Amino acid sequence: MGLKRYLVTRGLTMFGVLMITLLLTISLVGSNMDTILKQGVIYQVRSEITENTTIAQGFNNPEEFEKFVQQKIDERVKTLGLDTPWYSPQRLGYTMYKILILDFGNATFLTSDSGSSNVGDIIFEKMPKTILLFTTATIIISIIGIVLGAASSNKIGSKTDRITSTFAVISSSFPVWWIGMLMIFVFAFMYQIFPARATPSIEPDDPGYILALLYHMALPVITIVLIGFGAWAYLVRNFMVGIMQEDFISAKKTIGISKKKIVYSHALRNAAPPIVTILALSLSGSLGGAIITEAVFDWPGMGRLYFEAISVMDLPVIIGSTYILTVLFLVSIFIADLLYGYFDPRVRTSS
Amino acid sequence: MGLTGIFILSGLILVSIITISVIPSSTFQEWNNPEKWISYPKTSVPSWVNFLSSEKIPEHKIIDAEIFQSQENGIFFTSQQFGVIFEYDDFPSDFIFEMKTKYSDSHLIQIKVIRPDGITLELLSTSLPHSNSETIHNQRYFSTDSMMMKNLNLYKDDFQFDFLSDTTEIIFSELNENKIQKGDYIFIIDAYGVKEPLDVIESKMVLGGKAYGLMGTDELRRDLAIGLLWGTPLALFIGISVSIGSVVVGLVYGVYSGYKGKKTDEVMMRFNDVIYALPALPFLIILAVTISNSIFLMIGFLMIFSWVGIAKVSRSMSLQIKTRQYVEAAKIMGQKDSKIIFRHILPQLLPYAFASIAISVPAAITTEAGLSFLGLGDPSFPTWGQILHDANTYGAAAQGFWWWIVPPGILIAITGLAFVFIGNALDTIVNPKLKR
């Protein structure tokens, strides 16, 4: 199988997954969406009629008036296409088409910082913050992880190696958000070094905003790094140990190249493909975890937006964020696949 | 490592068994019923803190009455006595007498306290409400009662400091200055009746303090020790059932797919890819919100997202095993596919299955805890995540209620660690076999 064909099949699978995710999301929230939309219509029609007093005066008894209102509501429901259920092919197709072209409609309750209630605006305002936080944390984690992992694979069974392995196992058993709570407790209240809420209090157009943002970002980043780097170091170490047993390394050893040089330049280079792949995967994996982490630190990103949308059942926002999260997730899986195929030609040739 | 894991796990199982058999299940059903916890203190520290610090924080005490009854000259006399050993460095916040009695007619009530220095203070004289027929009556007397303050004012000359409005700061004080008098106090409720003796069904004194129990209490006065204890069997149940369920499903799915091969394999693996690519947490949240947050359904939802990886690995393993000669021999002999899979291939994967059951428990527990933390857990079960959710909503971190935050997280981590240790140990036993 050539690279082109490989890419096409992967791409098609991804698109299929995206469509299925979308369909699943819509079908899970669809019936709720219908009731909410219908209630919105009823409210709208009623307020329009009651505001216009002349209409009400034209009726003698309340029953007739009620009939008139109901008729108006039915008309409006029909023009909006709400008389057919959400799973009817036209409506489903229309909803999915709208989402595909990134038109998520308007949020029911939530607004962006600038006051817009367009779901697209809200999401694209929050997304950079999530990407900023998690990319920073992932980069720091991978640097520490690779250095520590290489160091411990250099001397298996040494103190560094044992401490790293133990720390990896222990740190990955703690939930990130719980460590977050502890960090807030210790570093924001006991010793007031960092702010407890990660949302900067100054306006975004203030020149000091970026500095304030970085300062507020410190506690979440430290927490994510603290929990994450151990597992990374352990992973890198295990890859390296596997590579160090390969024949070409033994050959290099017999030539007389120093072990340090073998570890840091030859072995590490060969461990790169799986490491890069996992880097891409963990970045996307952390996006899902962002929901809880951002809720703890009150970080104004996608995760907190998602959480807020869920708590007030703002369906357009939920659908939009799930879509965007899935797209991000799939794109990073795709990139991971590509990188793996690039680094390791065997993937392309055999299925 | 493996031994440590087994040691911790058996400890947790022991705790679960003790919890289920010893602690009345009403505490767990009424976890969210504020009525039940009314006589407990609000956000008090665990009482063992007193062992660590030189300043002794008054403990919250619930004292049962000792009842004495006698009859003299046609008067029925009933005395309820509460002994308090008070050795703390701060005044108790308040005290309440709660009694449930059965009587007819009426009874005269006198409340007094005998202090360590021998002085007796009359606190309250009152009577139970009159009733012609026999009735059951619930009565509470509070230390904040203004009558009690009035009565204490009669002793003003004995005390050499200005009275404040707090009765406990007078009752538990030295005479010469407003300082704690340590020692044994006896609180007495005397009842006098003319027709018949007072039948005391229930009687207790709640001495309000700032320290309570093994784990302290939360903002809603709940005893955290009970919540944490109930959380143990729940966490084990959630973790183990999710991991067993997903390993079984993943194993059968993967082995069948690998064994069948060709089109079946292709289709099944594409489906596997789809589930793999779904973002798990957002979907779990949507499922919890739209369908139900019942703990049993939640276990099912967690399974949906956790069998995928196991299916992938077991598929590749079954691809290897199916080329072995004994499997091919069985095939040629005309055995049914199901028989080959269940008799010849699956048993080979059992060691791997046990290792992955152990390894996937912590993820299930932390994910459930995370969902509960977001407030999407089953409210009728006090899980550790639920306790942390409450801690977060009541701002426990901001107010320094460390005993509310630290133990649940440590328990989650310890439980996870136990399974990781066992899983890793199993893995090292299993893996050399696989390499062969």
Side-chain angles (χ1 to χ4, degrees):
Chain A
M1 214 193 315
L3 180 64
K4 226 180 212 169
R5 192 147 166 239
Y6 171 74
L7 284 187
V8 170
T9 31
R10 290 308 290 169
L12 280 178
T13 318
M14 296 289 168
F15 189 72
V17 170
L18 192 61
M19 287 301 102
I20 291 170
T21 317
L22 205 54
L23 206 65
L24 272 175
T25 323
I26 295 173
S27 54
L28 278 170
V29 298
S31 54
N32 282 327
M33 190 150 73
D34 265 9
T35 20
I36 289 179
L37 283 176
K38 270 184 196 157
Q39 272 166 358
V41 169
I42 293 172
Y43 178 77
Q44 204 183 348
V45 170
R46 277 197 187 279
S47 64
E48 271 169 26
I49 292 173
T50 39
E51 265 170 33
N52 195 346
T53 44
T54 48
I55 298 175
Q57 279 162 3
F59 291 94
N60 295 330
N61 60 341
E63 270 167 44
E64 237 172 77
F65 178 65
E66 203 53 38
K67 218 172 165 186
F68 171 74
V69 172
Q70 194 57 47
Q71 196 188 334
K72 281 270 168 204
I73 290 172
D74 289 346
E75 262 171 38
R76 185 73 60 90
V77 164
K78 203 155 198 174
T79 45
L80 287 174
L82 289 176
D83 53 336
T84 51
W86 59 269
Y87 45 80
S88 69
Q90 305 104 307
R91 275 196 66 199
L92 203 60
Y94 183 65
T95 321
M96 288 191 49
Y97 166 74
K98 282 279 272 276
I99 293 170
L100 261 184
I101 58 165
L102 298 182
D103 178 5
F104 305 118
N106 284 330
T108 332
F109 306 102
L110 301 172
T111 56
S112 71
D113 290 341
S114 53
S116 161
S117 69
N118 184 292
V119 176
D121 287 354
I122 301 177
I123 289 176
F124 290 111
E125 185 186 82
K126 309 283 182 193
M127 203 157 65
K129 301 221 170 93
T130 299
I131 291 176
L132 174 69
L133 175 62
F134 285 90
T135 317
T136 316
T138 310
I139 289 171
I140 298 175
I141 285 176
S142 51
I143 291 172
I144 300 178
I146 289 169
V147 170
L148 255 182
S152 40
S153 72
N154 191 11
K155 282 181 196 158
I156 295 168
S158 69
K159 220 177 215 170
T160 332
D161 183 26
R162 269 181 297 160
I163 292 175
T164 311
S165 308
T166 319
F167 188 79
V169 174
I170 293 176
S171 69
S172 52
S173 306
F174 285 99
V176 183
W177 45 270
W178 180 71
I179 297 290
M181 279 176 90
L182 276 192
M183 296 293 266
I184 292 175
F185 174 59
V186 176
F187 293 110
F189 292 106
M190 259 169 72
Y191 308 102
Q192 299 177 350
I193 304 171
F194 295 111
R197 289 186 73 226
T199 313
S201 46
I202 46 178
E203 292 298 310
D205 43 346
D206 195 281
Y209 182 74
I210 294 176
L211 259 165
L213 194 69
L214 287 177
Y215 174 55
H216 282 78
M217 201 170 85
L219 208 51
V221 167
I222 292 172
T223 310
I224 300 170
V225 168
L226 202 62
I227 285 295
F229 82 86
W232 251 95
Y234 193 60
L235 213 65
V236 172
R237 171 200 178 269
N238 285 353
F239 281 135
M240 295 285 283
V241 169
I243 286 165
M244 291 298 280
Q245 287 167 352
E246 302 255 345
D247 290 341
F248 75 96
I249 298 282
S250 321
K252 289 210 160 86
K253 270 185 211 159
T254 39
I255 297 170
I257 300 174
S258 72
K259 198 177 178 199
K260 213 168 188 178
K261 201 175 173 200
I262 293 176
V263 167
Y264 287 102
S265 75
H266 301 284
L268 204 55
R269 192 182 301 160
N270 276 279
I275 290 176
V276 171
T277 315
I278 290 173
L279 185 72
L281 282 181
S282 76
L283 200 67
S284 64
S286 66
L287 285 177
I291 297 174
I292 307 182
T293 317
E294 286 185 5
V296 171
F297 287 106
D298 209 12
W299 179 256
M302 285 284 286
R304 206 190 63 174
L305 173 74
Y306 198 84
F307 178 60
E308 280 173 355
I310 286 285
S311 38
V312 295
M313 275 309 267
D314 198 325
L315 297 172
V317 178
I318 294 175
I319 294 176
S321 327
T322 314
Y323 181 74
I324 295 289
L325 276 177
T326 316
V327 169
L328 285 177
F329 190 64
L330 291 177
V331 165
S332 44
I333 290 181
F334 191 62
I335 291 174
D337 266 356
L338 274 186
L339 288 173
Y340 207 91
Y342 175 75
F343 281 120
D344 193 346
R346 281 171 299 178
V347 176
R348 278 175 272 152
T349 47
S350 69
S351 64
Chain B
M1 280 251 276
L3 275 181
T4 331
I6 290 172
F7 184 70
I8 301 173
L9 182 62
S10 31
L12 289 169
I13 291 174
L14 196 72
V15 168
S16 310
I17 293 171
I18 293 173
T19 308
I20 294 170
S21 52
V22 175
I23 297 179
S25 60
S26 64
T27 51
F28 145 58
Q29 281 146 6
E30 295 184 21
W31 179 250
N32 285 318
N33 177 13
E35 190 93 332
K36 170 157 198 308
W37 305 99
I38 202 145
S39 56
Y40 290 78
K42 216 175 182 181
T43 53
S44 55
V45 299
S47 50
W48 47 261
V49 170
N50 276 340
F51 291 114
L52 306 178
S53 71
S54 54
E55 184 128 327
K56 303 286 178 238
I57 305 161
E59 254 180 71
H60 188 88
K61 288 183 177 175
I62 298 168
I63 306 146
D64 287 319
E66 275 182 73
I67 297 160
F68 306 95
Q69 287 187 316
S70 63
Q71 186 189 358
E72 225 175 281
N73 307 330
I75 289 175
F76 296 92
F77 170 68
T78 310
S79 176
Q80 303 164 46
Q81 301 192 354
F82 308 88
V84 181
I85 305 164
F86 202 80
E87 296 285 357
Y88 307 102
D89 293 311
D90 200 1
F91 292 105
S93 55
D94 58 354
F95 56 84
I96 304 163
F97 299 103
E98 285 179 28
M99 58 181 200
K100 191 176 180 186
T101 51
K102 197 163 91 178
Y103 64 92
S104 62
D105 196 36
S106 182
H107 280 266
L108 203 68
I109 298 286
Q110 259 189 342
I111 301 176
K112 60 190 176 190
V113 55
I114 303 172
R115 295 167 19 119
D117 55 8
I119 294 173
T120 303
L121 301 176
E122 303 268 352
L123 297 177
L124 200 63
S125 298
T126 174
S127 64
L128 290 173
H130 181 86
S131 124
N132 291 323
S133 60
E134 190 148 86
T135 52
I136 291 176
H137 179 70
N138 281 312
Q139 179 71 48
R140 283 205 177 113
Y141 299 108
F142 295 92
S143 64
T144 45
D145 194 332
S146 59
M147 278 306 291
M148 217 176 267
M149 194 64 218
K150 259 183 202 163
N151 284 329
L152 282 172
N153 269 324
L154 300 175
Y155 301 99
K156 213 167 187 167
D157 298 339
D158 299 343
F159 290 89
Q160 287 156 26
F161 57 89
D162 292 332
F163 276 12
L164 292 163
S165 61
D166 202 338
T167 50
T168 55
E169 290 188 18
I170 300 163
I171 296 167
F172 288 90
S173 173
E174 293 279 6
L175 290 181
N176 46 6
E177 56 178 325
N178 197 1
K179 228 179 74 184
I180 280 284
Q181 185 177 73
K182 293 179 186 175
D184 296 359
Y185 289 81
I186 302 168
F187 286 84
I188 301 167
I189 305 178
D190 287 336
Y192 305 90
V194 283
K195 256 191 168 165
E196 56 166 27
L198 184 71
D199 188 1
V200 182
I201 301 167
E202 246 180 73
S203 175
K204 61 182 178 190
M205 172 181 174
V206 179
L207 188 67
K210 281 270 137 228
Y212 181 82
L214 211 57
M215 288 294 162
T217 60
D218 66 9
E219 185 83 15
L220 303 167
R221 300 170 187 272
R222 295 181 293 207
D223 185 352
L224 284 173
I226 286 174
L228 292 171
L229 281 177
W230 277 115
T232 318
L234 284 172
L236 290 180
F237 172 65
I238 293 165
I240 293 175
S241 45
V242 169
S243 63
I244 289 182
S246 49
V247 166
V248 168
V249 171
L251 214 58
V252 174
Y253 188 93
V255 167
Y256 185 78
S257 166
Y259 176 76
K260 273 287 182 184
K262 292 181 193 132
K263 272 264 157 63
T264 327
D265 183 35
E266 181 69 22
V267 171
M268 284 176 90
M269 279 303 116
R270 283 299 143 266
F271 179 69
N272 190 297
D273 281 350
V274 170
I275 305 275
Y276 176 72
L278 289 179
L281 197 64
F283 261 94
L284 283 172
I285 292 176
I286 293 184
L287 284 169
V289 170
T290 54
I291 296 182
S292 158
N293 59 1
S294 133
I295 207 157
F296 301 104
L297 278 175
M298 202 64 100
I299 288 172
F301 298 153
L302 284 169
M303 278 182 205
I304 296 176
F305 293 99
S306 49
W307 60 271
V308 190
I310 293 152
K312 265 192 175 163
V313 177
S314 46
R315 168 182 173 265
S316 64
M317 286 169 133
S318 85
L319 280 178
Q320 277 177 23
I321 295 171
K322 91 172 180 188
T323 56
R324 288 196 192 155
Q325 284 174 347
Y326 72 92
V327 179
E328 291 189 337
K331 224 192 237 170
I332 292 165
M333 276 160 65
Q335 275 194 348
K336 270 191 276 176
D337 285 354
S338 60
K339 201 166 182 188
I340 294 176
I341 289 174
F342 282 100
R343 291 286 291 276
H344 299 302
I345 300 181
L346 276 181
Q348 297 281 317
L349 297 181
L350 276 186
Y352 163 72
F354 283 117
S356 25
I357 285 177
I359 288 173
S360 51
V361 167
I365 293 177
T366 40
T367 313
E368 195 281 332
L371 286 172
S372 296
F373 177 75
L374 289 178
L376 301 167
D378 194 330
S380 46
F381 291 90
T383 59
W384 295 328
Q386 203 88 263
I387 294 174
L388 284 170
H389 166 72
D390 291 340
N392 199 43
T393 34
Y394 288 100
Q399 298 180 67
F401 303 147
W402 53 268
W403 61 92
W404 199 357
I405 304 172
V406 177
I410 288 182
L411 280 170
I412 292 173
I414 284 181
T415 315
L417 268 183
F419 285 101
V420 170
F421 283 158
I422 295 173
N424 281 352
L426 280 175
D427 221 18
T428 45
I429 301 168
V430 172
N431 262 333
K433 233 181 175 180
L434 291 175
K435 275 178 189 157
R436 207 170 41 185

